[in-house]
RNA sequence: GCUGACGUAGCUCAACUGGUAGAGCGGCUGAUUUGUAAUCAGCAGGUUAAGGGUUCGAGUCCCUUCGUCAGCUCCA
């Protein structure tokens, strides 16, 4: 006697079906068009296969291509098709995991030899075959023993199987002869996957653990329409043109040279100008906001990092010690600093502090060096020589919330209001291994949360993602090829004040321990500038542009007039260059545009005569506007002053 | 650090299965005097990342080191 289920459709209508009815049957009952378009169903928020018998009532919805979640289902199914094809061509291949990811999917295989590009072509062709065969994805629920028997030849799957709890369902999905231990859901059959492409293969540790074996991971992408896929592939191409490593060379901003070493940036004049402008900007800003600037050495006795607790934990990321003789033949070991905090702590400790002095905000734009693993280095985004816009704030516990609130405002001013960057915040809370009592952590996490709430901004909770010494708020951004990097960071620290026994005298005339905040708004100038290059695609706003105006005399006859304008611009503090080369105007305009100079100031016979200038605005539709030189200078000056995001 | 691919002129790229290292752009010189995305010509520029090996002969095949790229791991 089948029990009846009540399904609530998206339009509010209710539909009564006997328990055990499939979503496909419901779709067919609603209409033939829907049943053809349906890929899966969503019951009470969970996505289920179309052919899965329904056993519970609740809000019910059929997933078609229009549903954003459908794409993930499609991609996961495509990963199975990939595995199916690999197994046909390489029957001995062990299978790992094959999930859908942001814009595609991957599958990990245990094979004796890595896949070559030719292999990928063969595999893709084989996948088309699987798709053509239109095999149904069949779901089975099995007992543990049965699953163990079915995957006896697949040690990786057995390892996963062992982790499935007894109260969980063990399901197997098969398409044709290929079966996978998988939770699902899937599209009804392989024929539903039409537009896909394998992108590349790379090694990946089994379960992300570098002590385990390396599997061969194949990445691919899948879409509902050819147009969507073409758009995606075009976007990948587009992104390459924004890549800071390519623009950095084209615009002559920086280089990294083997003679100096990996991860060490040589800032060319134009890149250095970007850095200089950002430094000036942030230093002025923090001085307005109650910070004081300090400056500390690149080297310190190793002992300092022992006391701070960094050395035992952080040694792998520090460059080896430098030995230096001192006094009676004693050897003293020095370290290049990977961070500034211990030195700023010593500045705090150099005198007695009163509760009235707090918060004490010490800021320093400092070069630090970290021995990052070679494989992690990436242009300006991950380097070994870093320029941090660092600050350490010493404060009373009751001041945390207000200070964090102000820091969030500073962050917003810099990222959004100045650079037009829309960002996302992560609140990272206590990790399993931590220092300090739960009471302090509770208070700190509450203070951070309260500050975030008070600003009314969205944030993502990164449970357990905090540092061992305190919770933190981070800003993450994506680079041109979609990878995520950390920029701004605001970290609470209870640990360092303990280790250095920092104190301040309270209103009660008794010693108290301050709390510390580590914070970097840009993060590092290397990473931030790398990010800005990609954000602006090299077309920096006027105030930041290394070259703001290029003066182009049309012919030698106007050279003197050009020189005069150039001199006026320079006298007005504008970074201007004169293109006196013996070339056509077309050539010089093209070069100026390619170098992404905000304004090209053309001086021909007419302008020289009238004392005007023909201004070409970078990238604008309106190619030129003739104006007086005074008007041009005024406009430049006010846009620079306002740090306007022009042109 | 690990897995794989790659490394030819300042840049982008050629050089069939081992057989004389080339082109375009850029640079320099000259001619041209240019009105909004490349004027023309000539010249210079390479120990093919470095080192070793195989071979009559290596950019090409093998080994080592360095570096780059993608992914993994880790982080500003």
């Amino acid at each position: 006697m089948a029990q009846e289920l009540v399904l609530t459709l998206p339009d509010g209508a209710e539909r009564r079906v006997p328990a055990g009815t499939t979503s496909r049957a419901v779709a067919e009952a609603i209409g033939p068009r829907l049943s053809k378009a349906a890929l899966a169903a969503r019951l009470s928020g969970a996505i289920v296969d179309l052919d899965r018998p329904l056993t519970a009532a609740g809000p019910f919805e059929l997933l078609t291509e229009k549903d954003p979640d459908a794409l993930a289902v499609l991609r996961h199914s495509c990963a199975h098709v990939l595995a199916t094809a690999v197994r046909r061509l390489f029957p001995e291949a062990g299978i790992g995991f094959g999930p859908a990811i942001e814009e595609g999917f991957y599958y990990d295989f245990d094979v004796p030899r890595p896949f070559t590009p030719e292999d990928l072509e063969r595999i893709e062709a084989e996948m088309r075959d699987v798709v053509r065969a239109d095999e149904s994805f069949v779901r089975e629920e099995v007992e543990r023993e049965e699953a163990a028997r079915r995957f006896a030849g697949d040690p990786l799957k057995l390892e996963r199987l062992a982790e499935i709890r007894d109260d969980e369902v063990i399901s197997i999905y098969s398409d044709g002869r290929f079966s996978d231990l998988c939770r699902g859901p899937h599209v009804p059959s392989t024929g539903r996957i039409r537009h896909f492409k394998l992108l590349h293969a790379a090694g990946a540790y089994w379960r992300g653990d570098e002590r385990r074996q390396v599997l061969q991971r194949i990445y691919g992408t899948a879409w509902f329409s050819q147009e969507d896929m073409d758009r995606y592939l075009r976007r990948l191409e587009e992104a390459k043109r924004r890549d800071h490593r390519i623009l950095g060379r084209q615009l002559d901003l920086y280089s990294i040279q083997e003679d100096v070493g990996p991860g060490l940036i040589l800032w060319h004049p134009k890149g250095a100008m970007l850095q200089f402008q950002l430094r000036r900007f942030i230093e002025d800003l923090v001085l307005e906001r109650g910070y004081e600037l300090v400056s500390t050495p690149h080297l310190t006795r190793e002992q300092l990092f022992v006391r701070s607790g960094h050395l035992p934990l952080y040694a792998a990321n520090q460059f080896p010690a430098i030995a230096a003789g001192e006094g009676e033949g004693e050897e003293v070991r020095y370290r290049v600093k990977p961070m500034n905090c211990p030195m700023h702590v010593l500045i705090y400790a150099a005198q007695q502090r009163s509760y009235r002095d707090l918060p004490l905000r010490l800021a320093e734009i400092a070069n630090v060096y970290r021995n990052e693993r070679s494989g992690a280095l990436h242009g300006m985004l991950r380097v070994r020589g870093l320029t941090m816009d660092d600050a350490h704030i010493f404060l009373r516990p009751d001041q945390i919330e207000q200070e964090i609130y102000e820091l969030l405002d500073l962050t917003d001013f810099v990222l959004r209001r100045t650079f037009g960057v829309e960002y996302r915040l992560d609140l990272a809370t206590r990790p399993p291994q931590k220092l300090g009592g739960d009471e302090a952590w509770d208070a700190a996490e509450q203070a951070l949360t309260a500050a975030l709430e008070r600003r009314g901004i969205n944030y993502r909770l990164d449970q357990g993602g905090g540092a061992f010494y305190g919770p933190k708020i981070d800003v993450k951004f994506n680079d041109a090829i979609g990878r995520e990097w950390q920029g701004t960071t605001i970290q609470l620290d209870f640990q360092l004040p303990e280790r250095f026994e920092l104190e301040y005298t309270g209103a009660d005339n008794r010693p108290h321990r301050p709390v510390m905040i580590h914070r970097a708004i840009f993060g590092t100038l290397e990473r931030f500038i790398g990010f800005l290059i990609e954000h602006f695609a090299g077309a920096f706003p006027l105030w930041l542009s290394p070259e703001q105006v290029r003066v182009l005399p049309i012919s030698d006859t106007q050279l003197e007039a050009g020189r005069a304008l150039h001199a006026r611009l320079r006298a007005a503090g504008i970074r201007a260059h004169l293109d006196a080369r013996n070339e056509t105007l077309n050539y010089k305009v093209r070069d100026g545009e390619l170098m992404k100079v905000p304004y090209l100031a053309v001086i021909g016979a007419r302008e020289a005569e009238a004392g005007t200038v023909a201004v070409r605005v970078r990238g604008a539709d309106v190619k030129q506007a003739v104006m007086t030189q005074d008007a041009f200078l005024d406009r430049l000056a006010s846009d620079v002053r306002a740090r306007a995001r022009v042109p």
Side-chain angles (χ1 to χ4, degrees):
Chain A
M1 189 64 209
Q3 182 195 340
E4 250 194 355
L5 303 175
V6 179
L7 303 176
T8 313
L9 303 181
D11 62 1
E14 292 194 342
R15 205 163 257 272
R16 292 173 180 280
V17 298
T21 305
T22 64
S23 302
R24 186 194 294 275
V26 178
E28 278 162 0
I30 294 174
R33 276 240 303 278
L34 183 59
S35 88
K36 224 177 142 205
L39 291 155
R42 189 189 284 116
L43 179 64
S44 303
I47 300 176
V48 294
D49 305 304
L50 217 48
D51 288 315
R52 181 101 174 262
L54 297 167
T55 54
F60 179 86
E61 194 180 346
L62 286 153
L63 254 60
T64 64
E65 295 183 5
K66 292 192 199 94
D67 194 293
D69 289 337
L71 210 42
V73 176
L74 178 84
R75 288 169 179 163
H76 182 199
S77 296
C78 197
H80 274 237
V81 171
L82 166 60
T84 308
V86 168
R87 264 291 172 78
R88 284 198 195 170
L89 295 169
F90 306 87
E92 77 291 356
I95 48 174
F97 291 148
I101 53 175
E102 190 90 18
E103 294 185 304
F105 59 89
Y106 68 78
Y107 211 111
D108 288 340
F109 301 98
D110 191 9
V111 281
R113 140 186 103 71
F115 296 113
T116 63
E118 293 74 43
D119 290 336
L120 290 194
E121 279 175 36
R122 282 173 59 213
I123 293 167
E124 197 176 298
E126 193 69 24
M127 286 171 74
R128 302 207 181 280
D129 228 51
V130 175
V131 166
R132 216 169 296 124
D134 197 18
E135 302 277 7
S136 295
F137 279 99
V138 178
R139 177 193 165 95
E140 301 164 76
E141 292 187 5
V142 298
E143 292 302 315
R144 186 175 298 275
E145 294 67 33
E146 166 70 2
R149 194 182 56 74
R150 298 267 294 269
F151 291 103
D154 270 306
L156 304 180
K157 286 291 168 191
L158 289 179
E159 184 176 329
R160 174 72 189 103
L161 179 64
E163 290 168 2
I164 298 178
R165 294 193 315 266
D166 282 337
D167 58 337
E168 288 177 294
V169 172
I170 298 172
S171 58
I172 293 176
Y173 280 80
S174 306
D175 55 293
R177 292 208 312 265
F178 176 75
S179 297
D180 198 353
L181 183 66
C182 174
R183 184 176 290 157
H186 281 283
V187 298
S189 66
T190 59
R192 303 301 284 265
I193 304 160
R194 304 235 300 284
H195 310 283
F196 63 92
K197 187 175 169 59
L198 297 184
L199 298 173
H200 55 266
Y205 299 108
W206 168 233
R207 320 220 63 171
D209 185 340
E210 60 186 319
R211 289 164 304 192
R212 306 293 301 268
Q213 76 252 50
V214 172
L215 305 179
Q216 295 304 319
R217 176 172 298 178
I218 297 178
Y219 284 89
T221 190
W223 300 83
F224 283 120
S225 73
Q226 190 64 39
E227 297 85 76
D228 284 351
M229 190 158 95
D230 287 346
R231 200 175 310 125
Y232 169 71
L233 296 174
R234 232 177 300 129
R235 189 151 47 81
L236 286 185
E237 286 301 311
E238 200 66 32
K240 275 190 208 149
R241 259 170 292 179
R242 293 179 93 92
D243 192 312
H244 76 281
R245 292 166 299 181
I246 294 167
L247 284 171
R249 187 186 302 117
Q250 285 172 352
L251 303 180
D252 193 21
L253 301 175
Y254 77 101
S255 62
I256 298 171
Q257 299 185 29
E258 211 173 322
D259 288 340
V260 177
L264 300 169
I265 306 281
L266 297 176
W267 297 85
H268 296 12
K270 288 176 181 169
M273 181 52 72
L274 288 173
Q275 208 200 98
F276 174 69
Q277 293 301 328
L278 289 179
R279 280 172 179 258
R280 202 154 75 167
F281 166 65
I282 198 78
E283 284 182 345
D284 286 350
L285 197 55
V286 299
L287 286 171
E288 280 168 23
R289 293 186 180 224
Y291 288 71
E292 295 170 277
L293 300 181
V294 297
S295 181
T296 60
H298 290 78
L299 278 177
T300 156
R301 289 190 172 170
E302 185 171 280
Q303 194 51 38
L304 185 62
F305 288 114
V306 174
R307 183 167 186 196
S308 71
H310 284 115
L311 205 57
L313 277 161
Y314 207 72
N317 269 318
Q318 277 188 254
F319 283 98
I322 302 162
E326 222 179 66
E328 12 235 81
E330 289 254 323
E331 188 195 272
V332 178
R333 288 154 67 85
Y334 283 81
R335 289 278 187 160
V336 175
K337 64 176 173 183
M339 49 207 31
N340 307 299
C341 27
M343 299 196 197
H344 291 182
V345 163
L346 291 182
I347 292 175
Y348 176 94
Q351 57 182 265
Q352 279 208 316
R353 303 290 177 179
S354 151
Y355 71 98
R356 294 196 187 90
D357 299 334
L358 306 183
L360 180 73
R361 307 180 181 93
L362 302 179
E364 173 175 15
I365 295 183
N367 293 107
V368 300
Y369 292 86
R370 301 181 181 177
N371 195 6
E372 296 292 337
R373 301 167 80 171
S374 60
L377 299 174
H378 182 83
M380 299 184 106
L381 298 182
R382 169 79 108 267
V383 294
R384 287 188 173 148
L386 304 62
T387 311
M388 302 184 75
D389 68 313
D390 206 4
H392 294 94
I393 302 168
F394 302 86
L395 70 178
R396 308 191 305 261
D398 64 287
Q399 293 173 318
I400 294 175
E401 185 192 325
Q402 178 60 25
E403 191 65 22
I404 297 291
Y405 181 83
E406 288 173 24
L407 281 167
L408 291 174
D409 183 67
L410 178 60
T411 303
D412 191 70
F413 180 79
V414 172
L415 295 184
R416 194 175 60 79
R417 284 177 269 167
T418 303
F419 294 106
V421 173
E422 297 300 332
Y423 58 94
R424 197 189 58 234
L425 292 168
D426 283 4
L427 170 62
T429 57
R430 71 195 79 180
Q433 287 196 327
K434 60 185 197 297
L435 293 164
D438 281 332
E439 208 172 300
W441 278 89
D442 285 341
E445 288 172 10
Q446 267 165 31
L448 294 186
T449 308
L452 286 164
E453 301 288 344
R454 183 143 70 95
R455 284 205 58 85
I457 33 180
N458 281 327
Y459 61 93
R460 199 168 60 172
L461 192 62
D462 179 6
Q463 202 89 49
F468 67 91
Y469 49 75
K472 57 179 186 165
I473 295 173
D474 292 328
V475 174
K476 304 258 172 49
F477 65 86
N478 293 315
D479 68 10
I481 31 186
R483 284 179 293 208
E484 196 176 73
W485 302 88
Q486 185 179 313
T488 306
T489 183
I490 301 170
Q491 312 187 348
L492 234 50
D493 187 349
F494 319 120
Q495 184 55 21
L496 227 41
E498 285 291 333
R499 286 194 166 254
F500 284 88
E501 298 174 330
L502 298 185
E503 288 182 345
Y504 65 89
T505 306
D508 57 1
N509 196 31
R510 298 174 62 85
H512 297 273
R513 182 129 300 160
V515 178
M516 236 178 114
I517 296 173
H518 309 243
R519 134 280 83 134
I521 304 299
F522 293 144
T524 68
L525 284 147
E526 287 77 13
R527 183 173 286 180
F528 194 71
I529 288 172
F531 164 69
L532 283 186
I533 293 169
E534 301 192 351
H535 176 68
F536 291 119
F540 301 104
L542 181 70
W543 71 274
L544 203 54
S545 278
E547 181 179 7
Q548 296 171 310
V549 176
R550 190 176 286 187
V551 180
L552 312 183
I554 289 182
S555 78
D556 288 354
T557 325
Q558 293 89 42
L559 203 50
E560 275 317 306
R563 283 212 178 94
L565 175 59
H566 179 227
R568 274 196 79 181
L569 289 162
R570 295 285 280 250
I574 297 296
R575 298 185 288 278
H577 293 273
L578 176 70
D579 190 346
R581 290 179 295 181
N582 181 8
E583 294 289 352
T584 60
L585 182 64
N586 273 328
Y587 181 92
K588 294 189 210 180
V589 165
R590 178 180 145 86
D591 193 51
E593 285 286 349
L594 289 177
M595 294 308 285
K596 302 186 193 276
V597 179
Y599 296 102
L600 300 179
V602 177
I603 302 273
R606 295 197 293 272
E607 289 78 16
E609 175 80 16
T612 55
V613 56
V615 177
R616 179 181 165 116
V617 181
R618 177 185 61 202
D621 287 341
V622 180
K623 290 302 182 197
Q624 54 167 323
V626 179
M627 59 182 81
T628 65
Q629 296 188 0
D630 287 339
F632 184 44
L633 280 157
D634 284 349
R635 172 171 163 183
L636 292 172
S638 72
D639 283 344
V640 168
R641 207 178 312 116
R643 293 204 185 85
R645 286 199 294 279
V646 292

